[in-house]
Every structure is written in C-alpha cells, then in structure tokens.
Amino acid sequence: ADGRLAWQVYARPAPADDGTPRVAIVLWRLGFSRAATEAAIQQLPGVVTLAFEPYAPGLDGWIAKARAAGHEVLIQVPMEPPDYPRSDPGPHTLLTSLPAADNVKRLEWLLGRGAGYVGVTNLMGARFTSSEAALRPVLAVLKERGLMYLDAQVTRASVATRVAEEIGLPRAFTNRILDTEASRPAIDARLYQLERVAKSAGSAVGIGFPYPVTIERLAAWTGTLRGKAIRLVPLSAVVNRQRPT
C-alpha cells in the first residue's frame, strides 16, 4: 500500500556499482530433498540465491531458514513443457490451453504458498514461455505484485525477457545452466564461461541444481572471485542489467 516493491524489500543488500563485473548464482529445485536443501542453505555463501519448488512441504519454514542465512529466495512457477502431460510439473501448472483468468488463478495459488521471496522463475515451461499470449497476463500479475522474474531460458524460443521489458517488469535471465553434465570438469568449465560473459557484458547469471558436486564446486569457486575482479551478487543486483543477445 505504501508503494514499496517486494523484489526490493526482500532483496539482500548489495554493494554499490563500481563497474566490477557481476555474477549472480541461483540454485533451483529446492525444498523436497532435506539433505540437498540444508546443504544449499548452509554450505553456500548467503549471496547465492535459492529457488524453491512451490509444492515443497514446509515451504514457509525453508524460506525463513534460507533468508536467516542471508539468501535471497525465488519461487518456481510450474509452466507447461513441450511434452505435457507426459512431463507434468504439478496440478497448478500454467498451460497455454487455459484462459488467462485460469492461469492467473493458478499463479495466485502458487504465489500464496510462501512469503518473503523477491520473485519467481519458471519450473520447466519451454512451451509456455514461448507463447506471448499465454505469458503476458502472467507477467503482468508479477509486475502488479512488485516481484521480479528470472527467465530460466529453458528454450531459445522464450519471449519472457522481451515481454518483461515491454511491460516494465524487473527481470533477469540465465546465461548458463551449470550442471547439465554433473561432473567437476563440466561445472568448472561452465563457471569459467560465466566469468567471461560477466567480463564482456558486465553481468551474468548462472543456475544449477542442488547436486552435491554442484554445491562443492560453487563453494570452491566463490572463494576465487576476489582475485579475478568479479563480484558475486544476489540476483536482485543484476535486475535489468543484462542485454539480450
């Protein structure tokens, strides 16, 4: 009511922009595995952003625990994949076949699962994020609620970043998925690529799963950044900074 925006109110404070290249890391699909979620919260620096599945049991408790450890939080919104319903991310999945009002109703249920998050990102959703007609009303609701949107870019055909810009929704997008191959050499290579993107473009976002090897490599990598003149920041600190290619 007083005009404050959720993505700013719940943001982790970030240092002033001094021109240093910025990298944000998001770990997603959290909340179902207690061991993986605890490891992400406790073993990674608070500056790493954590994204939780909306159906996770005890979601409010997980969000509170993550925020107490300094992490920014996202909620993952299940969206229609290309092979739906063979791949089904849940009963409240946003679908291209539904009227906008029905998708908004589903979205509001999902957003009501917790509090204290800066924004949302898609869970699956290659078909949904490719449909401007389906996506635009959903992103408009996120803007009205003062949230930000991270386009996980699970498909190159995603129109989410463009539509977010057009309606003035605070946004970011993923430059690299870190662990499509969950091995030390592959993850290290993706982190190096992320460094190069940040140095050339000013900001970059990487996203990964809570695999033990991912958490291990991220914990090691974050300790090297000061010597590389790269700053690790929460996701909110790269909002609207990336330029789509």
Side-chain angles (χ1 to χ4, degrees):
D2 62 5
R4 293 183 299 162
L5 301 177
W7 80 269
Q8 295 171 326
V9 170
Y10 297 121
R12 175 188 167 100
D17 188 1
D18 60 359
T20 302
R22 295 182 166 204
V23 173
I25 297 293
V26 178
L27 220 61
W28 62 350
R29 305 298 297 262
L30 293 167
F32 277 107
S33 168
R34 175 170 294 276
T37 305
E38 288 278 8
I41 292 172
Q42 303 298 340
Q43 296 179 25
L44 293 174
V47 72
V48 173
T49 300
L50 304 181
F52 289 86
E53 296 205 37
Y55 307 118
L59 181 60
D60 265 333
W62 281 127
I63 292 175
K65 193 166 189 175
R67 284 177 45 77
H71 299 280
E72 279 187 355
V73 171
L74 298 174
I75 293 292
Q76 291 194 259
V77 170
M79 299 181 184
E80 183 180 0
D83 58 347
Y84 180 88
R86 185 174 64 184
S87 293
D88 185 354
H92 290 81
T93 298
L94 309 188
L95 301 173
T96 56
S97 59
L98 289 177
D102 290 352
N103 277 325
V104 167
K105 186 176 180 180
R106 290 186 174 201
L107 174 67
E108 289 175 343
W109 185 91
L110 293 160
L111 295 178
R113 293 282 295 144
Y117 47 87
V118 296
V120 309
T121 188
N122 47 293
L123 173 59
M124 300 189 184
R127 177 175 293 165
F128 195 86
T129 59
S130 302
S131 170
E132 181 170 347
L135 185 65
R136 185 177 284 268
V138 168
L139 296 187
V141 171
L142 299 182
K143 181 186 177 183
E144 291 170 5
R145 287 181 170 242
L147 298 167
M148 65 164 293
Y149 180 71
L150 170 65
D151 182 3
Q153 294 205 323
V154 293
T155 172
R156 293 184 178 181
S158 173
V159 298
T161 297
R162 174 177 62 79
V163 173
E165 285 193 334
E166 290 175 0
I167 68 174
L169 170 66
R171 57 79 180 162
F173 59 86
T174 298
N175 296 102
R176 295 289 187 277
I177 296 177
L178 302 176
D179 45 11
T180 49
E181 180 186 334
S183 70
R184 290 181 178 87
I187 293 169
D188 290 348
R190 287 298 179 96
L191 289 169
Y192 176 71
Q193 292 170 15
L194 206 59
E195 294 174 16
R196 291 177 63 87
V197 172
K199 288 183 176 180
S200 63
S203 299
V205 176
I207 197 163
F209 294 90
Y211 302 138
V213 67
T214 303
I215 293 173
E216 174 206 322
R217 297 321 299 155
L218 281 173
W221 174 77
T222 56
T224 71
L225 292 181
R226 182 171 296 181
K228 298 175 180 177
I230 294 174
R231 178 165 286 153
L232 184 64
V233 295
L235 184 66
S236 63
V238 300
V239 160
N240 296 339
R241 289 174 177 266
Q242 299 161 286
R243 298 267 61 86
T245 56

